[in-house]
Amino acid sequence: MTKRTPPQTLSKRHFFRLGWKLMVLFAVGLCVIGLLKLQSELAAPPARGSRRIRADAFVGSPKVAFLFLARRDLPLDFLWQAFFENADVANFSIYIHSEPGFVFDESTTRSAFFYNRQLRNSIKVGWGESSMIGAERLLLDAALDDPANRRFVLLSDSCVPLYNFSYIYNYLMASPRSFVDSFLDKKEGRYNPKMSYAIRKKKWRKGSQWITLIRRHAEVVADDDVIFPAFKKFCKRRPPIDASKGKQNSKLQKQHNCIPDEHYVQTLFAINDLEGELERRTVTYTLWNESATKLETKGWHPVTFNYANAGPRQIKKIRDINHVYYETEFRTEWCRNNSTPVPCFLFARKFSKGAAMRLLSEGAVGSFDASALLQTQT
């Protein structure tokens, strides 16, 4: 006769085995979730807080990050090769925003300093569009990943240095401030009232896009997630006049007109009450020429330096500038570095290949005594 297990005992065993299996499955599930989370954290970019912690703990030689905003290649790479070859590689880093997919290698540049220095996440940039400041933010974000980078210089593909590396390095490191051209925009109607939820009109500023930032200010720009979206939505360039559209041009010209890269950083810093921490001037010289056509309203356009007008005399003239006057604020900005009088400009634009070749051949961009500058600070 078969012995039968009491029903109560059977239910207890069954419950115990089921519970044990559930605990094993739960533990395995936790392990899988943990591994997936760890993998995603390793693949993700450093968190903003962790990036700052690493930077604060940094000990070593501080770098200047040169951030090139290029259409495609760097036509003046041969001049920058001469500039960087006499510098200590521990004192600088290079980042390039070019068109998506463009690679800097031996077939696209004459300088090994630029090999593979392009951003992998670059975007298509349009003049006068928010994509321009989007590209600037990408450059800053990439450069901030290196805790050694302490100064961040934004340059165009037509910029040239006016001094040797040693002078420019000491000039920038001696100042605890950022160099940001910034002034009140009283004459133009670029402020869009629809921005008022994020940007008050009294904080609206204008200035050159060619900025030089200390690390803390670079983080403010790269980490901004409030003002940049407002610019993308409400600061847009008016469509250019098209002769083929005839009378429709008058309607198009009534649209609001705003050039994002001439306002973004300046306005962002004003909103964050950082203007007191700035040298409110750019260190990149531009010669402006007033021009007009039948299809354009009066405007200002940068002069391109060519072989004929880029000789030593012109370079000396730029170097000798020691102040900038801001008409809208009736303000004269005397160029100083930690209270020490200094030349206003370290770089200049827009230079053609011929102009850059003349600078090299005639030694216009050569050595300079940097002893007048204060001792390097980090």
Side-chain angles (χ1 to χ4, degrees):
M1 187 172 181
T2 306
K3 186 177 182 180
R4 303 178 68 178
T5 305
Q8 188 177 5
T9 305
L10 182 63
S11 62
K12 285 182 179 180
R13 288 180 181 177
H14 180 72
F15 179 78
F16 176 77
R17 289 174 181 174
L18 180 62
W20 181 81
K21 289 179 180 179
L22 288 173
M23 288 181 63
V24 171
L25 289 173
F26 181 71
V28 171
L30 287 177
C31 290
V32 171
I33 293 172
L35 288 172
L36 290 174
K37 184 177 180 181
L38 178 61
Q39 185 178 13
S40 65
E41 288 178 350
L42 291 173
R48 294 172 182 176
S50 65
R51 184 164 67 186
R52 292 192 181 100
I53 292 170
R54 293 203 316 273
D56 291 341
F58 167 74
V59 176
S61 179
K63 294 180 183 178
V64 174
F66 292 84
L67 315 178
F68 289 91
L69 194 58
R71 295 173 180 86
R72 184 174 170 83
D73 63 350
L74 292 174
L76 309 185
D77 54 2
F78 58 93
L79 178 63
W80 287 101
Q81 168 70 28
F83 175 77
F84 287 123
E85 66 183 359
N86 293 318
D88 187 338
V89 293
N91 289 337
F92 70 91
S93 54
I94 297 171
Y95 302 83
I96 309 169
H97 185 284
S98 183
E99 67 176 27
F102 188 83
V103 176
F104 283 81
D105 55 27
E106 61 276 4
S107 67
T108 57
T109 179
R110 288 157 289 194
S111 174
F113 287 113
F114 297 121
Y115 287 177
N116 296 312
R117 300 312 305 158
Q118 72 281 348
L119 301 189
R120 303 294 181 180
N121 59 342
S122 63
I123 58 177
K124 192 70 176 177
V125 174
W127 182 87
E129 298 178 1
S130 60
S131 55
M132 183 74 77
I133 54 178
E136 295 173 14
R137 283 160 47 88
L138 287 173
L139 282 166
L140 288 168
D141 191 64
L144 282 166
D145 283 342
D146 184 350
N149 289 328
R150 316 307 288 185
R151 302 294 184 271
F152 303 78
V153 183
L154 184 65
L155 298 162
S156 76
D157 54 14
S158 67
C159 281
V160 300
L162 296 173
Y163 302 98
N164 63 13
F165 181 89
S166 176
Y167 179 81
I168 290 176
Y169 180 86
N170 287 323
Y171 187 116
L172 296 177
M173 289 298 175
S175 175
R177 295 170 173 256
S178 293
F179 296 90
V180 178
D181 184 47
S182 178
F183 54 90
L184 297 175
D185 184 23
K186 294 180 177 179
K187 292 186 176 182
E188 298 186 40
R190 292 185 177 179
Y191 175 79
N192 190 337
K194 293 179 179 179
M195 299 175 173
S196 60
Y197 72 93
I199 305 168
R200 290 177 292 169
K201 188 174 182 179
K202 69 177 184 179
K203 295 292 187 178
W204 185 251
R205 299 289 186 270
K206 185 180 180 182
S208 168
Q209 77 175 108
W210 309 111
I211 55 177
T212 297
L213 305 180
I214 61 174
R215 186 175 181 92
R216 189 167 68 84
H217 294 163
E219 289 176 345
V220 171
V221 179
D223 295 346
D224 167 43
D225 55 9
V226 176
I227 307 305
F228 179 61
F231 264 77
K232 286 182 69 175
K233 190 172 183 179
F234 297 115
C235 182
K236 297 182 179 180
R237 178 173 65 100
R238 180 186 298 147
I241 295 177
D242 185 347
S244 65
K245 293 182 179 181
K247 294 182 179 180
Q248 190 180 358
N249 280 304
S250 60
K251 183 179 180 180
L252 292 172
Q253 293 309 297
K254 291 179 181 179
Q255 295 183 32
H256 188 265
N257 188 44
C258 182
I259 310 299
D261 56 79
E262 295 183 358
H263 298 274
Y264 171 64
V265 172
Q266 292 79 1
T267 300
L268 176 65
F269 285 173
I271 290 172
N272 283 277
D273 297 321
L274 294 174
E275 291 181 300
E277 300 177 14
L278 308 176
E279 294 287 350
R280 292 177 64 190
R281 61 183 177 88
T282 180
V283 291
T284 300
Y285 175 80
T286 303
L287 177 62
W288 294 96
N289 183 33
E290 198 172 10
S291 64
T293 69
K294 294 179 181 180
L295 293 177
E296 293 178 340
T297 55
K298 204 171 186 182
W300 293 86
H301 302 274
V303 171
T304 297
F305 289 95
N306 52 36
Y307 186 91
N309 63 357
R313 182 178 298 179
Q314 177 64 44
I315 298 302
K316 183 180 185 303
K317 185 177 179 180
I318 299 173
R319 283 177 170 178
D320 288 345
I321 297 173
N322 61 5
H323 69 279
V324 181
Y325 180 67
Y326 291 89
E327 184 179 353
T328 61
E329 298 178 333
F330 305 104
R331 168 171 62 95
T332 298
E333 190 77 15
W334 292 94
C335 300
R336 298 180 181 279
N337 192 330
N338 261 355
S339 301
T340 302
V342 291
C344 291
F345 300 110
L346 300 177
F347 309 95
R349 59 183 293 267
K350 303 173 69 170
F351 277 67
S352 66
K353 286 185 180 180
M357 291 177 65
R358 183 171 181 182
L359 294 185
L360 280 179
S361 63
E362 297 188 4
V365 181
S367 60
F368 191 89
D369 183 13
S371 62
L373 290 175
L374 299 178
Q375 189 174 3
T376 298
Q377 300 179 0
T378 60

